[in-house]
């Protein structure tokens, strides 16, 4: 089995607030585009020319329901929903989508995704896909498990320079476990990770200032 390394993607305010009443407390068009780009982009490597390759987004059931129906499932990504209810998808329109799966726990979701990361020639059917990068996209309950995991290699945290009224929070990031890259290095890391330009420094949008930051597991 491949290592099950994954990265967290999140937008949080200065008090680590991430949500309010089941939705995002802000509307940041560019950050959302950044989220879509970092979670979707499959970076070609010398050993893969990217046929049938997608990234996976693991999310809790509450986060899945917070995504506007028209953006569900997240396009060009393997969507794995964590719910202890094995019938959760039964009456949902996504139940037969090959790009949507249900897992009973975060660990099971990682195992499921990892089973899509390796492929033998015999296994590969025309509609099948191989998972490249794995992202944990929320919400607070799964982030709580994620930050404690040895397999969490990076945290891509869009830091909003404000304190917004939130009822849902990102867990504390232990500085003994994660290093916040100073902004020039964080920015260089992101451009290398995405193999394309990323806006650096403080971004101003919709009355908010924010910055794309990177934490690496020590
Ligand atoms: N990370 C960051 N940086 N920003 C976020 O807003 C964010 N949100 C979540 C997780 N990590 C994040 C969870 N919430 C969509 C909506 C809510 C959501 C995640 C994704 C969503 O609709 N995404 C579409 C793009 C829609 C658009 O372009 O407006 C997608 O295709 O990714």
């Amino acid at each position: 089995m491949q290592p099950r390394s994954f990265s967290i993607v999140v937008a949080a305010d200065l008090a680590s607030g991430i949500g309010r009443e089941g939705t995002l407390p802000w509307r940041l068009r560019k950050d959302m585009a950044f989220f879509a780009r970092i979670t979707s982009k499959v970076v070609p490597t010398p050993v893969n020319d990217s046929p049938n390759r997608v990234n996976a987004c693991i999310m809790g059931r509450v986060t899945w329901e917070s995504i506007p129906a028209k953006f569900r499932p997240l396009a060009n990504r393997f969507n794995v929903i964590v719910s202890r209810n094995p019938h959760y998808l039964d009456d949902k329109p996504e139940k037969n989508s090959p790009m949507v799966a249900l897992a009973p726990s975060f660990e099971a979701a990682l195992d499921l995704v990892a089973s899509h990361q390796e492929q033998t020639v015999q296994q590969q059917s025309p509609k099948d896909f191989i998972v490249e990068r794995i992202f944990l996209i929320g919400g607070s309950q799964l982030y709580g498990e994620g930050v404690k995991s040895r397999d969490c290699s990076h945290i891509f945290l869009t830091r909003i320079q404000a304190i917004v009224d939130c009822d849902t929070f990102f867990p504390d990031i232990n500085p003994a476990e994660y290093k916040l890259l100073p902004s020039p290095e964080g920015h260089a890391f992101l451009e290398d990770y995405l193999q394309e330009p990323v806006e650096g420094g403080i971004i101003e949008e919709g009355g908010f200032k924010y910055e794309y930051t990177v934490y690496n597991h020590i």
Side-chain angles (χ1 to χ4, degrees):
M1 193 98 94
Q2 296 265 119
R4 306 176 308 159
S5 298
F6 65 90
S7 298
I8 284 175
V9 187
V10 63
D13 74 4
L14 291 171
S16 297
I18 59 171
R20 182 178 62 227
E21 290 172 357
T23 168
L24 296 170
W26 40 73
R27 169 95 194 105
L28 305 172
R29 201 180 40 80
K30 284 201 282 188
D31 172 64
M32 191 51 84
F34 172 77
F35 168 88
R37 187 153 65 113
I38 199 168
T39 56
S40 304
K41 180 157 182 182
V42 175
V43 175
T45 68
V47 291
N48 98 49
D49 51 358
S50 299
N52 299 344
R53 284 176 194 265
V54 295
N55 296 326
C57 287
I58 299 175
M59 70 199 93
R61 191 265 303 165
V62 179
T63 296
W64 166 261
E65 289 180 357
S66 81
I67 298 172
K70 62 174 186 283
F71 293 119
R72 265 182 358 218
L74 296 172
N76 307 117
R77 285 152 281 181
F78 183 31
N79 292 237
V80 181
I81 307 163
V82 176
S83 169
R84 269 179 293 264
N85 175 4
H87 302 295
Y88 177 68
L89 282 174
D90 288 2
D91 57 349
K92 302 288 188 299
E94 299 84 10
K95 73 165 174 295
N96 292 318
S97 167
M99 299 306 277
V100 179
L102 188 64
S105 67
F106 179 56
E107 279 299 310
L110 278 179
D111 286 341
L112 174 68
V113 168
S115 76
H116 282 266
Q117 282 189 307
E118 51 191 17
Q119 187 107 289
T120 62
V121 176
Q122 302 95 291
Q123 256 180 303
Q124 182 149 13
S125 62
K127 266 190 290 187
D128 217 349
F129 56 88
I130 300 178
V131 168
E132 207 58 39
R133 292 171 170 170
I134 306 173
F135 297 98
L136 170 57
I137 66 161
S140 63
Q141 201 176 324
L142 289 191
Y143 284 145
E145 287 191 51
V147 295
K148 286 192 237 133
S149 170
R150 210 19 273 184
D151 297 323
C152 179
S153 48
H154 316 290
I155 302 172
F156 298 112
L157 189 157
T158 297
R159 184 67 81 178
I160 296 153
Q161 310 289 324
I163 293 186
V164 185
D165 185 24
C166 288
D167 60 22
T168 314
F169 294 84
F170 193 77
D172 290 335
I173 300 173
N174 183 348
E177 286 171 340
Y178 296 93
K179 176 184 161 61
L180 171 63
L181 301 186
S183 32
E185 282 103 286
H187 180 254
F189 186 95
L190 277 175
E191 294 201 323
D192 183 61
Y193 189 82
L194 282 172
Q195 290 291 299
E196 58 187 43
V198 173
E199 189 169 355
I202 307 285
I203 300 165
E204 294 201 46
E205 191 183 12
F208 289 103
K209 292 183 180 173
Y210 60 91
E211 185 173 18
Y212 304 130
T213 70
V214 179
Y215 292 78
N216 282 344
H217 215 300
I218 292 167

